[in-house]
Amino acid sequence: GRNCRFLQGDDRDQPELKRLRQALAKGSSCHVILSNYHKDGQLFWNGLTITPVRDESGQVTQFVGIVEDITERKRAADALRVSEDQFRSVVETSGTVIIGLRPDHTIFECNRAVNRTFGYVRADMIGADYFEKILPPEHHAEMERQLQLVLNGEIVRNYQTPG
């Protein structure tokens, strides 16, 4: 029977609370993610979805709220984001050319070493066909063979593309 604001502790200025209040005022549905606190002060995260219940005349009589503890999901997402940032930093600062290819040979990612090695800026590379842009024609067949090995789940060790 208590209002759930007691879970927010002193954290009453969360931007998502404004969205929640607006939805309540408008009588509309919404989903928000809120930080809350256990009795012992430990932080946890809630996903809250509210949906209005209307009477025959269309007036909102109440709201149904579904609350889900998403603490572990949020922690995993935050850890993944940190890991991706670290990986991106390693790739960007590497002196070795790193190019991400799709199965159709389209370049979807590359690092700064491409500029030092081939003279292209990232914008020149993204969306280009690697075989046409970088790889000499005499190496197309071997590179295609190597790509097929990777696409088949095999690990390719110590293969360097010429170019």
Side-chain angles (χ1 to χ4, degrees), residues 64-85:
V64 173
I66 300 172
V67 179
E68 179 184 12
D69 184 341
I70 61 165
T71 304
E72 288 308 312
R73 188 180 332 154
K74 181 117 170 76
R75 284 184 186 145
D78 290 346
L80 178 59
R81 192 171 14 266
V82 167
S83 177
E84 287 173 342
D85 289 346

Side-chain angles (χ1 to χ4, degrees), residues 63-142:
F63 282 86
V64 173
I66 300 172
V67 179
E68 179 184 12
D69 184 341
I70 61 165
T71 304
E72 288 308 312
R73 188 180 332 154
K74 181 117 170 76
R75 284 184 186 145
D78 290 346
L80 178 59
R81 192 171 14 266
V82 167
S83 177
E84 287 173 342
D85 289 346
Q86 290 169 339
F87 178 77
R88 191 173 297 109
S89 176
V90 167
V91 168
E92 269 307 305
T93 58
S94 174
T96 301
V97 172
I98 300 173
I99 297 175
L101 295 179
R102 292 197 170 88
D104 67 355
H105 315 149
T106 303
I107 298 168
F108 68 86
E109 191 58 77
C110 64
N111 66 350
R112 291 183 206 143
V114 166
N115 180 262
R116 289 189 303 274
T117 305
F118 299 110
Y120 293 117
V121 295
R122 187 174 185 278
D124 293 334
M125 298 292 289
I126 304 303
D129 185 304
Y130 174 75
F131 281 39
E132 293 174 15
K133 191 89 169 172
I134 301 288
L135 193 65
E138 62 270 19
H139 299 291
H140 287 190
E142 179 57 21

Side-chain angles (χ1 to χ4, degrees), residues 18-33:
K18 182 178 180 181
R19 285 188 51 233
L20 179 61
R21 289 184 192 108
Q22 289 171 343
L24 290 168
K26 292 179 185 175
S28 61
S29 298
C30 85
H31 177 78
V32 294
I33 295 175

Side-chain angles (χ1 to χ4, degrees), residues 47-62:
L48 170 62
T49 302
I50 62 163
T51 303
V53 177
R54 300 178 187 279
D55 63 18
E56 302 81 32
S57 67
Q59 295 292 340
V60 175
T61 59
Q62 57 197 0

Side-chain angles (χ1 to χ4, degrees), residues 35-50:
S35 60
N36 288 309
Y37 299 90
H38 291 286
K39 285 181 185 180
D40 65 3
Q42 183 181 0
L43 173 71
F44 70 99
W45 292 91
N46 275 346
L48 170 62
T49 302
I50 62 163

